[in-house]
């Protein structure tokens, strides 16, 4: 069975500062990895995904993530955040047979002016 | 492409009542998923369909929960004899499935409050 751990429940940061949101996963088989963002009162939107190939994945809104198989991590980064990036971020792993998503508990990114 | 829609967006019900939610996926998507999200938690998988066939159900889906996708298009999720513990956001998602895309597109959710 797969599982996802997001160690940081909240990450406060000032505008234009860099940010890293951490995600570690556990799985006995190969997985696909995703980051979703949830703005208040909205559904989840895909930021980026890792299926195979290059371990550095670029997504929307200037976000990127790096897949590290040896450390079973898929951390999300942005070099300079905006106020509008304030949201809840979820890391997820996919079951290859059904592609159902298993989510972490989320990290709330709060960007201050 | 109008996206995934869910109805209603909010539902308040009294304990013991039955409720039904509807999800309309993106039209060409053959896979449809239901998730439940409680406060401070990530979404948890409930069940999924490929076309009209329900292929997997989570142990979270007790006997009081039933989901259908009768014509392989929209889906309904019914909760019978609601309990306060059922209060949550119920999310629907759809995907092309099996095409290599793997992206699930989420609807805005139905927030259920059981009083």
């Amino acid at each position: 069975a797969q599982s996802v751990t997001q160690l940081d429940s909240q990450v406060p940061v000032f505008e234009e500062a860099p940010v890293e949101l951490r995600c570690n996963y556990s799985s006995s088989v190969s997985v696909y990895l995703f980051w979703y963002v949830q703005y208040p009162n909205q559904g989840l939107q895909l930021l980026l995904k890792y299926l195979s190939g290059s371990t550095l994945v670029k997504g929307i809104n200037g976000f990127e993530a790096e897949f590290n198989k040896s450390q079973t991590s898929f951390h999300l980064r942005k070099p300079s955040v905006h106020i509008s990036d304030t949201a809840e971020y979820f890391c997820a792993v996919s079951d290859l047979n059904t592609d159902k998503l298993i989510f972490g508990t989320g990290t709330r990114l709060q960007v201050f002016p | 492409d109008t996206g995934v829609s869910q109805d209603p967006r909010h539902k308040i019900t009294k304990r013991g009542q039955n409720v039904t939610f509807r999800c309309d996926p993106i039209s060409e998507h053959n896979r449809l998923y239901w998730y439940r999200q409680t406060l401070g938690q990530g979404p948890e998988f409930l069940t999924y369909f490929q076309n009209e066939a329900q292929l997997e159900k989570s142990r979270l889906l007790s006997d009081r929960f039933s989901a259908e996708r009768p014509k392989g298009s929209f889906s309904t999720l019914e909760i019978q004899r609601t309990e306060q513990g059922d209060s949550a956001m119920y999310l629907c998602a759809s995907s092309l499935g099996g095409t290599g895309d793997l992206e699930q597109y989420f609807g805005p959710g139905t927030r259920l409050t059981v009083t």
Side-chain angles (χ1 to χ4, degrees):
Chain A
Q2 292 98 15
S3 66
V4 175
T5 301
Q6 292 182 249
L7 290 171
D8 305 305
S9 60
Q10 295 187 62
V11 172
V13 64
F14 287 109
E15 195 173 19
E16 297 183 7
V19 70
E20 178 180 83
L21 306 184
R22 297 181 293 168
C23 172
N24 287 88
Y25 70 93
S26 172
S27 176
S28 57
V29 298
S30 296
V31 295
Y32 301 138
L33 293 156
F34 305 80
W35 276 98
Y36 279 83
V37 61
Q38 188 175 34
Y39 299 102
N41 299 315
Q42 294 187 29
L44 285 85
Q45 179 184 9
L46 182 68
L47 276 178
L48 47 79
K49 60 189 175 189
Y50 172 78
L51 305 182
S52 64
S54 173
T55 57
L56 183 62
V57 180
K58 293 192 181 299
I60 63 171
N61 300 341
F63 284 93
E64 64 181 31
E66 186 155 17
F67 171 60
N68 188 318
K69 188 174 182 179
S70 62
Q71 296 187 5
T72 60
S73 67
F74 190 54
H75 300 332
L76 181 70
R77 302 185 184 100
K78 186 169 182 178
S80 176
V81 294
H82 301 131
I83 296 283
S84 60
D85 292 323
T86 294
E88 191 85 20
Y89 291 79
F90 293 96
C91 181
V93 64
S94 174
D95 181 311
L96 299 191
N97 293 322
T98 68
D99 66 52
K100 71 182 181 185
L101 293 170
I102 297 162
F103 287 87
T105 51
T107 297
R108 174 151 180 78
L109 176 63
Q110 181 76 49
V111 181
F112 295 95
Chain B
D1 179 357
T2 57
V4 178
S5 61
Q6 293 186 245
D7 183 69
R9 294 290 306 274
H10 303 273
K11 178 71 176 178
I12 300 174
T13 191
K14 292 184 177 180
R15 190 179 56 185
Q17 298 295 304
N18 300 342
V19 294
T20 300
F21 310 141
R22 177 180 169 123
C23 171
D24 286 89
I26 294 171
S27 58
E28 64 268 25
H29 285 183
N30 60 0
R31 287 195 177 179
L32 186 148
Y33 309 79
W34 285 99
Y35 294 86
R36 181 172 68 187
Q37 185 178 19
T38 53
L39 210 58
Q41 299 296 316
E44 296 172 294
F45 170 78
L46 292 178
T47 188
Y48 95 102
F49 293 83
Q50 174 138 334
N51 300 313
E52 65 275 10
Q54 188 174 17
L55 297 187
E56 186 174 348
K57 293 195 294 186
S58 163
R59 282 173 290 180
L60 292 174
L61 217 62
S62 75
D63 291 343
R64 297 184 296 105
F65 288 70
S66 62
E68 294 183 340
R69 194 182 182 197
K71 298 181 180 179
S73 57
F74 73 91
S75 174
T76 58
L77 177 68
E78 181 183 15
I79 308 174
Q80 296 183 327
R81 304 181 304 281
T82 52
E83 301 173 356
Q84 287 188 323
D86 297 331
S87 295
M89 177 76 85
Y90 289 83
L91 297 168
C92 175
S94 69
S95 74
L96 282 171
T99 65
D101 180 2
L102 299 183
E103 178 173 352
Q104 293 185 24
Y105 296 79
F106 282 81
T110 294
R111 181 170 295 283
L112 173 66
T113 302
V114 181
T115 61

PDB file of all heavy atoms in Angstrom, chain B residues 38-65:
ATOM      1  N   THR B  38     -12.272  15.758   4.815  1.00  0.00           N
ATOM      2  CA  THR B  38     -12.682  16.366   6.079  1.00  0.00           C
ATOM      3  C   THR B  38     -11.707  17.483   6.421  1.00  0.00           C
ATOM      4  O   THR B  38     -10.605  17.572   5.861  1.00  0.00           O
ATOM      5  CB  THR B  38     -12.735  15.333   7.204  1.00  0.00           C
ATOM      6  OG1 THR B  38     -11.469  14.644   7.249  1.00  0.00           O
ATOM      7  CG2 THR B  38     -13.829  14.319   6.952  1.00  0.00           C
ATOM      8  N   LEU B  39     -12.099  18.315   7.363  1.00  0.00           N
ATOM      9  CA  LEU B  39     -11.333  19.513   7.690  1.00  0.00           C
ATOM     10  C   LEU B  39      -9.911  19.166   8.111  1.00  0.00           C
ATOM     11  O   LEU B  39      -9.697  18.318   8.966  1.00  0.00           O
ATOM     12  CB  LEU B  39     -12.039  20.259   8.818  1.00  0.00           C
ATOM     13  CG  LEU B  39     -11.854  21.778   8.841  1.00  0.00           C
ATOM     14  CD1 LEU B  39     -12.344  22.391   7.539  1.00  0.00           C
ATOM     15  CD2 LEU B  39     -12.567  22.396  10.034  1.00  0.00           C
ATOM     16  N   GLY B  40      -8.951  19.796   7.461  1.00  0.00           N
ATOM     17  CA  GLY B  40      -7.564  19.597   7.835  1.00  0.00           C
ATOM     18  C   GLY B  40      -6.935  18.328   7.292  1.00  0.00           C
ATOM     19  O   GLY B  40      -5.800  17.992   7.650  1.00  0.00           O
ATOM     20  N   GLN B  41      -7.658  17.646   6.427  1.00  0.00           N
ATOM     21  CA  GLN B  41      -7.143  16.398   5.860  1.00  0.00           C
ATOM     22  C   GLN B  41      -7.111  16.471   4.330  1.00  0.00           C
ATOM     23  O   GLN B  41      -7.783  17.295   3.721  1.00  0.00           O
ATOM     24  CB  GLN B  41      -8.028  15.216   6.273  1.00  0.00           C
ATOM     25  CG  GLN B  41      -8.096  14.988   7.768  1.00  0.00           C
ATOM     26  CD  GLN B  41      -6.750  14.608   8.344  1.00  0.00           C
ATOM     27  OE1 GLN B  41      -6.021  13.786   7.780  1.00  0.00           O
ATOM     28  NE2 GLN B  41      -6.394  15.218   9.465  1.00  0.00           N
ATOM     29  N   GLY B  42      -6.332  15.593   3.748  1.00  0.00           N
ATOM     30  CA  GLY B  42      -6.365  15.475   2.297  1.00  0.00           C
ATOM     31  C   GLY B  42      -7.557  14.640   1.873  1.00  0.00           C
ATOM     32  O   GLY B  42      -8.147  13.920   2.677  1.00  0.00           O
ATOM     33  N   PRO B  43      -7.920  14.720   0.607  1.00  0.00           N
ATOM     34  CA  PRO B  43      -9.020  13.893   0.110  1.00  0.00           C
ATOM     35  C   PRO B  43      -8.719  12.406   0.280  1.00  0.00           C
ATOM     36  O   PRO B  43      -7.577  11.972   0.128  1.00  0.00           O
ATOM     37  CB  PRO B  43      -9.092  14.270  -1.378  1.00  0.00           C
ATOM     38  CG  PRO B  43      -8.464  15.624  -1.456  1.00  0.00           C
ATOM     39  CD  PRO B  43      -7.384  15.621  -0.425  1.00  0.00           C
ATOM     40  N   GLU B  44      -9.762  11.639   0.600  1.00  0.00           N
ATOM     41  CA  GLU B  44      -9.634  10.185   0.737  1.00  0.00           C
ATOM     42  C   GLU B  44     -10.503   9.516  -0.318  1.00  0.00           C
ATOM     43  O   GLU B  44     -11.672   9.864  -0.491  1.00  0.00           O
ATOM     44  CB  GLU B  44     -10.086   9.739   2.124  1.00  0.00           C
ATOM     45  CG  GLU B  44      -9.238  10.271   3.260  1.00  0.00           C
ATOM     46  CD  GLU B  44      -9.860   9.948   4.605  1.00  0.00           C
ATOM     47  OE1 GLU B  44     -10.947  10.485   4.890  1.00  0.00           O
ATOM     48  OE2 GLU B  44      -9.270   9.155   5.351  1.00  0.00           O
ATOM     49  N   PHE B  45      -9.941   8.549  -0.978  1.00  0.00           N
ATOM     50  CA  PHE B  45     -10.626   7.836  -2.052  1.00  0.00           C
ATOM     51  C   PHE B  45     -11.820   7.057  -1.496  1.00  0.00           C
ATOM     52  O   PHE B  45     -11.729   6.391  -0.464  1.00  0.00           O
ATOM     53  CB  PHE B  45      -9.642   6.867  -2.719  1.00  0.00           C
ATOM     54  CG  PHE B  45     -10.272   5.905  -3.677  1.00  0.00           C
ATOM     55  CD1 PHE B  45     -10.625   6.298  -4.951  1.00  0.00           C
ATOM     56  CD2 PHE B  45     -10.508   4.590  -3.292  1.00  0.00           C
ATOM     57  CE1 PHE B  45     -11.195   5.404  -5.842  1.00  0.00           C
ATOM     58  CE2 PHE B  45     -11.076   3.682  -4.176  1.00  0.00           C
ATOM     59  CZ  PHE B  45     -11.429   4.100  -5.451  1.00  0.00           C
ATOM     60  N   LEU B  46     -12.952   7.159  -2.195  1.00  0.00           N
ATOM     61  CA  LEU B  46     -14.139   6.393  -1.823  1.00  0.00           C
ATOM     62  C   LEU B  46     -14.434   5.279  -2.825  1.00  0.00           C
ATOM     63  O   LEU B  46     -14.596   4.119  -2.462  1.00  0.00           O
ATOM     64  CB  LEU B  46     -15.355   7.315  -1.741  1.00  0.00           C
ATOM     65  CG  LEU B  46     -15.366   8.340  -0.602  1.00  0.00           C
ATOM     66  CD1 LEU B  46     -16.618   9.208  -0.688  1.00  0.00           C
ATOM     67  CD2 LEU B  46     -15.263   7.654   0.750  1.00  0.00           C
ATOM     68  N   THR B  47     -14.521   5.658  -4.112  1.00  0.00           N
ATOM     69  CA  THR B  47     -14.890   4.675  -5.121  1.00  0.00           C
ATOM     70  C   THR B  47     -14.582   5.235  -6.498  1.00  0.00           C
ATOM     71  O   THR B  47     -14.366   6.440  -6.652  1.00  0.00           O
ATOM     72  CB  THR B  47     -16.379   4.308  -5.032  1.00  0.00           C
ATOM     73  OG1 THR B  47     -16.660   3.213  -5.919  1.00  0.00           O
ATOM     74  CG2 THR B  47     -17.266   5.485  -5.395  1.00  0.00           C
ATOM     75  N   TYR B  48     -14.517   4.335  -7.516  1.00  0.00           N
ATOM     76  CA  TYR B  48     -14.364   4.842  -8.867  1.00  0.00           C
ATOM     77  C   TYR B  48     -15.046   3.941  -9.886  1.00  0.00           C
ATOM     78  O   TYR B  48     -15.288   2.756  -9.630  1.00  0.00           O
ATOM     79  CB  TYR B  48     -12.892   5.083  -9.211  1.00  0.00           C
ATOM     80  CG  TYR B  48     -12.170   3.980  -9.941  1.00  0.00           C
ATOM     81  CD1 TYR B  48     -11.936   4.072 -11.316  1.00  0.00           C
ATOM     82  CD2 TYR B  48     -11.677   2.881  -9.252  1.00  0.00           C
ATOM     83  CE1 TYR B  48     -11.250   3.083 -11.988  1.00  0.00           C
ATOM     84  CE2 TYR B  48     -10.989   1.889  -9.920  1.00  0.00           C
ATOM     85  CZ  TYR B  48     -10.769   1.991 -11.288  1.00  0.00           C
ATOM     86  OH  TYR B  48     -10.083   1.006 -11.954  1.00  0.00           O
ATOM     87  N   PHE B  49     -15.380   4.551 -11.007  1.00  0.00           N
ATOM     88  CA  PHE B  49     -16.069   3.882 -12.099  1.00  0.00           C
ATOM     89  C   PHE B  49     -15.227   3.982 -13.362  1.00  0.00           C
ATOM     90  O   PHE B  49     -14.596   4.992 -13.625  1.00  0.00           O
ATOM     91  CB  PHE B  49     -17.414   4.566 -12.394  1.00  0.00           C
ATOM     92  CG  PHE B  49     -18.423   4.440 -11.295  1.00  0.00           C
ATOM     93  CD1 PHE B  49     -18.396   5.305 -10.213  1.00  0.00           C
ATOM     94  CD2 PHE B  49     -19.397   3.464 -11.338  1.00  0.00           C
ATOM     95  CE1 PHE B  49     -19.324   5.195  -9.192  1.00  0.00           C
ATOM     96  CE2 PHE B  49     -20.336   3.343 -10.325  1.00  0.00           C
ATOM     97  CZ  PHE B  49     -20.300   4.218  -9.248  1.00  0.00           C
ATOM     98  N   GLN B  50     -15.289   2.916 -14.139  1.00  0.00           N
ATOM     99  CA  GLN B  50     -14.843   2.986 -15.520  1.00  0.00           C
ATOM    100  C   GLN B  50     -16.095   2.758 -16.354  1.00  0.00           C
ATOM    101  O   GLN B  50     -16.695   1.682 -16.300  1.00  0.00           O
ATOM    102  CB  GLN B  50     -13.783   1.931 -15.838  1.00  0.00           C
ATOM    103  CG  GLN B  50     -13.440   1.917 -17.319  1.00  0.00           C
ATOM    104  CD  GLN B  50     -11.964   1.773 -17.583  1.00  0.00           C
ATOM    105  OE1 GLN B  50     -11.123   2.142 -16.777  1.00  0.00           O
ATOM    106  NE2 GLN B  50     -11.637   1.218 -18.723  1.00  0.00           N
ATOM    107  N   ASN B  51     -16.469   3.798 -17.083  1.00  0.00           N
ATOM    108  CA  ASN B  51     -17.776   3.810 -17.744  1.00  0.00           C
ATOM    109  C   ASN B  51     -18.854   3.560 -16.692  1.00  0.00           C
ATOM    110  O   ASN B  51     -18.869   4.256 -15.679  1.00  0.00           O
ATOM    111  CB  ASN B  51     -17.800   2.807 -18.888  1.00  0.00           C
ATOM    112  CG  ASN B  51     -16.748   3.131 -19.937  1.00  0.00           C
ATOM    113  OD1 ASN B  51     -16.623   4.279 -20.360  1.00  0.00           O
ATOM    114  ND2 ASN B  51     -15.965   2.134 -20.336  1.00  0.00           N
ATOM    115  N   GLU B  52     -19.720   2.573 -16.871  1.00  0.00           N
ATOM    116  CA  GLU B  52     -20.777   2.376 -15.869  1.00  0.00           C
ATOM    117  C   GLU B  52     -20.394   1.361 -14.795  1.00  0.00           C
ATOM    118  O   GLU B  52     -21.153   1.166 -13.839  1.00  0.00           O
ATOM    119  CB  GLU B  52     -22.081   1.938 -16.557  1.00  0.00           C
ATOM    120  CG  GLU B  52     -22.013   0.580 -17.234  1.00  0.00           C
ATOM    121  CD  GLU B  52     -21.456   0.659 -18.650  1.00  0.00           C
ATOM    122  OE1 GLU B  52     -20.953   1.732 -19.052  1.00  0.00           O
ATOM    123  OE2 GLU B  52     -21.509  -0.366 -19.350  1.00  0.00           O
ATOM    124  N   ALA B  53     -19.246   0.735 -14.921  1.00  0.00           N
ATOM    125  CA  ALA B  53     -18.844  -0.303 -13.973  1.00  0.00           C
ATOM    126  C   ALA B  53     -18.117   0.296 -12.766  1.00  0.00           C
ATOM    127  O   ALA B  53     -17.140   1.037 -12.925  1.00  0.00           O
ATOM    128  CB  ALA B  53     -17.947  -1.313 -14.677  1.00  0.00           C
ATOM    129  N   GLN B  54     -18.598  -0.056 -11.585  1.00  0.00           N
ATOM    130  CA  GLN B  54     -17.931   0.374 -10.351  1.00  0.00           C
ATOM    131  C   GLN B  54     -16.825  -0.632 -10.061  1.00  0.00           C
ATOM    132  O   GLN B  54     -17.099  -1.786  -9.720  1.00  0.00           O
ATOM    133  CB  GLN B  54     -18.927   0.435  -9.193  1.00  0.00           C
ATOM    134  CG  GLN B  54     -18.347   1.045  -7.928  1.00  0.00           C
ATOM    135  CD  GLN B  54     -19.396   1.236  -6.835  1.00  0.00           C
ATOM    136  OE1 GLN B  54     -20.476   0.638  -6.883  1.00  0.00           O
ATOM    137  NE2 GLN B  54     -19.099   2.071  -5.853  1.00  0.00           N
ATOM    138  N   LEU B  55     -15.587  -0.214 -10.180  1.00  0.00           N
ATOM    139  CA  LEU B  55     -14.466  -1.147 -10.136  1.00  0.00           C
ATOM    140  C   LEU B  55     -13.812  -1.287  -8.769  1.00  0.00           C
ATOM    141  O   LEU B  55     -13.144  -2.286  -8.508  1.00  0.00           O
ATOM    142  CB  LEU B  55     -13.410  -0.752 -11.173  1.00  0.00           C
ATOM    143  CG  LEU B  55     -13.862  -0.812 -12.627  1.00  0.00           C
ATOM    144  CD1 LEU B  55     -12.683  -0.574 -13.563  1.00  0.00           C
ATOM    145  CD2 LEU B  55     -14.515  -2.162 -12.940  1.00  0.00           C
ATOM    146  N   GLU B  56     -13.954  -0.287  -7.928  1.00  0.00           N
ATOM    147  CA  GLU B  56     -13.310  -0.380  -6.620  1.00  0.00           C
ATOM    148  C   GLU B  56     -14.058   0.470  -5.611  1.00  0.00           C
ATOM    149  O   GLU B  56     -14.535   1.553  -5.939  1.00  0.00           O
ATOM    150  CB  GLU B  56     -11.848   0.083  -6.703  1.00  0.00           C
ATOM    151  CG  GLU B  56     -11.071  -0.133  -5.409  1.00  0.00           C
ATOM    152  CD  GLU B  56      -9.588   0.183  -5.552  1.00  0.00           C
ATOM    153  OE1 GLU B  56      -9.117   0.356  -6.696  1.00  0.00           O
ATOM    154  OE2 GLU B  56      -8.902   0.251  -4.511  1.00  0.00           O
ATOM    155  N   LYS B  57     -14.166  -0.038  -4.405  1.00  0.00           N
ATOM    156  CA  LYS B  57     -14.778   0.700  -3.302  1.00  0.00           C
ATOM    157  C   LYS B  57     -13.843   0.657  -2.105  1.00  0.00           C
ATOM    158  O   LYS B  57     -13.345  -0.408  -1.746  1.00  0.00           O
ATOM    159  CB  LYS B  57     -16.135   0.086  -2.917  1.00  0.00           C
ATOM    160  CG  LYS B  57     -17.200   0.234  -3.977  1.00  0.00           C
ATOM    161  CD  LYS B  57     -18.586  -0.053  -3.424  1.00  0.00           C
ATOM    162  CE  LYS B  57     -18.770  -1.480  -2.996  1.00  0.00           C
ATOM    163  NZ  LYS B  57     -20.172  -1.754  -2.600  1.00  0.00           N
ATOM    164  N   SER B  58     -13.670   1.790  -1.481  1.00  0.00           N
ATOM    165  CA  SER B  58     -12.843   1.860  -0.289  1.00  0.00           C
ATOM    166  C   SER B  58     -13.592   1.273   0.903  1.00  0.00           C
ATOM    167  O   SER B  58     -14.829   1.254   0.943  1.00  0.00           O
ATOM    168  CB  SER B  58     -12.486   3.318  -0.009  1.00  0.00           C
ATOM    169  OG  SER B  58     -12.035   3.499   1.305  1.00  0.00           O
ATOM    170  N   ARG B  59     -12.803   0.846   1.891  1.00  0.00           N
ATOM    171  CA  ARG B  59     -13.442   0.377   3.136  1.00  0.00           C
ATOM    172  C   ARG B  59     -14.133   1.533   3.854  1.00  0.00           C
ATOM    173  O   ARG B  59     -14.937   1.319   4.750  1.00  0.00           O
ATOM    174  CB  ARG B  59     -12.392  -0.252   4.040  1.00  0.00           C
ATOM    175  CG  ARG B  59     -12.012  -1.663   3.602  1.00  0.00           C
ATOM    176  CD  ARG B  59     -10.861  -2.195   4.412  1.00  0.00           C
ATOM    177  NE  ARG B  59      -9.620  -1.522   4.096  1.00  0.00           N
ATOM    178  CZ  ARG B  59      -8.456  -1.803   4.677  1.00  0.00           C
ATOM    179  NH1 ARG B  59      -8.378  -2.722   5.600  1.00  0.00           N
ATOM    180  NH2 ARG B  59      -7.367  -1.148   4.332  1.00  0.00           N
ATOM    181  N   LEU B  60     -13.792   2.777   3.465  1.00  0.00           N
ATOM    182  CA  LEU B  60     -14.472   3.936   4.048  1.00  0.00           C
ATOM    183  C   LEU B  60     -15.931   3.985   3.640  1.00  0.00           C
ATOM    184  O   LEU B  60     -16.758   4.615   4.298  1.00  0.00           O
ATOM    185  CB  LEU B  60     -13.791   5.226   3.570  1.00  0.00           C
ATOM    186  CG  LEU B  60     -12.386   5.521   4.056  1.00  0.00           C
ATOM    187  CD1 LEU B  60     -11.847   6.759   3.360  1.00  0.00           C
ATOM    188  CD2 LEU B  60     -12.359   5.703   5.562  1.00  0.00           C
ATOM    189  N   LEU B  61     -16.256   3.321   2.542  1.00  0.00           N
ATOM    190  CA  LEU B  61     -17.607   3.370   1.997  1.00  0.00           C
ATOM    191  C   LEU B  61     -18.459   2.318   2.708  1.00  0.00           C
ATOM    192  O   LEU B  61     -18.502   1.153   2.303  1.00  0.00           O
ATOM    193  CB  LEU B  61     -17.546   3.102   0.501  1.00  0.00           C
ATOM    194  CG  LEU B  61     -18.516   3.886  -0.389  1.00  0.00           C
ATOM    195  CD1 LEU B  61     -18.260   5.369  -0.305  1.00  0.00           C
ATOM    196  CD2 LEU B  61     -18.409   3.412  -1.828  1.00  0.00           C
ATOM    197  N   SER B  62     -19.129   2.759   3.779  1.00  0.00           N
ATOM    198  CA  SER B  62     -19.943   1.803   4.532  1.00  0.00           C
ATOM    199  C   SER B  62     -21.187   1.426   3.745  1.00  0.00           C
ATOM    200  O   SER B  62     -21.447   1.957   2.656  1.00  0.00           O
ATOM    201  CB  SER B  62     -20.342   2.430   5.868  1.00  0.00           C
ATOM    202  OG  SER B  62     -21.359   3.389   5.670  1.00  0.00           O
ATOM    203  N   ASP B  63     -21.978   0.531   4.324  1.00  0.00           N
ATOM    204  CA  ASP B  63     -23.198   0.065   3.664  1.00  0.00           C
ATOM    205  C   ASP B  63     -24.201   1.187   3.458  1.00  0.00           C
ATOM    206  O   ASP B  63     -25.131   1.057   2.661  1.00  0.00           O
ATOM    207  CB  ASP B  63     -23.842  -1.056   4.485  1.00  0.00           C
ATOM    208  CG  ASP B  63     -22.996  -2.314   4.464  1.00  0.00           C
ATOM    209  OD1 ASP B  63     -22.121  -2.404   3.576  1.00  0.00           O
ATOM    210  OD2 ASP B  63     -23.202  -3.186   5.316  1.00  0.00           O
ATOM    211  N   ARG B  64     -24.048   2.271   4.181  1.00  0.00           N
ATOM    212  CA  ARG B  64     -24.985   3.391   4.031  1.00  0.00           C
ATOM    213  C   ARG B  64     -24.690   4.216   2.770  1.00  0.00           C
ATOM    214  O   ARG B  64     -25.495   5.051   2.390  1.00  0.00           O
ATOM    215  CB  ARG B  64     -24.915   4.303   5.264  1.00  0.00           C
ATOM    216  CG  ARG B  64     -25.330   3.620   6.561  1.00  0.00           C
ATOM    217  CD  ARG B  64     -25.327   4.605   7.723  1.00  0.00           C
ATOM    218  NE  ARG B  64     -23.990   5.127   8.006  1.00  0.00           N
ATOM    219  CZ  ARG B  64     -23.586   6.351   7.683  1.00  0.00           C
ATOM    220  NH1 ARG B  64     -24.408   7.190   7.086  1.00  0.00           N
ATOM    221  NH2 ARG B  64     -22.357   6.745   7.978  1.00  0.00           N
ATOM    222  N   PHE B  65     -23.542   3.992   2.188  1.00  0.00           N
ATOM    223  CA  PHE B  65     -23.142   4.746   0.997  1.00  0.00           C
ATOM    224  C   PHE B  65     -23.369   3.884  -0.245  1.00  0.00           C
ATOM    225  O   PHE B  65     -23.032   2.698  -0.254  1.00  0.00           O
ATOM    226  CB  PHE B  65     -21.656   5.102   1.055  1.00  0.00           C
ATOM    227  CG  PHE B  65     -21.306   6.162   2.051  1.00  0.00           C
ATOM    228  CD1 PHE B  65     -21.365   5.908   3.409  1.00  0.00           C
ATOM    229  CD2 PHE B  65     -20.899   7.422   1.632  1.00  0.00           C
ATOM    230  CE1 PHE B  65     -21.038   6.885   4.331  1.00  0.00           C
ATOM    231  CE2 PHE B  65     -20.558   8.405   2.543  1.00  0.00           C
ATOM    232  CZ  PHE B  65     -20.628   8.132   3.900  1.00  0.00           C
TER     233      PHE B  65
END
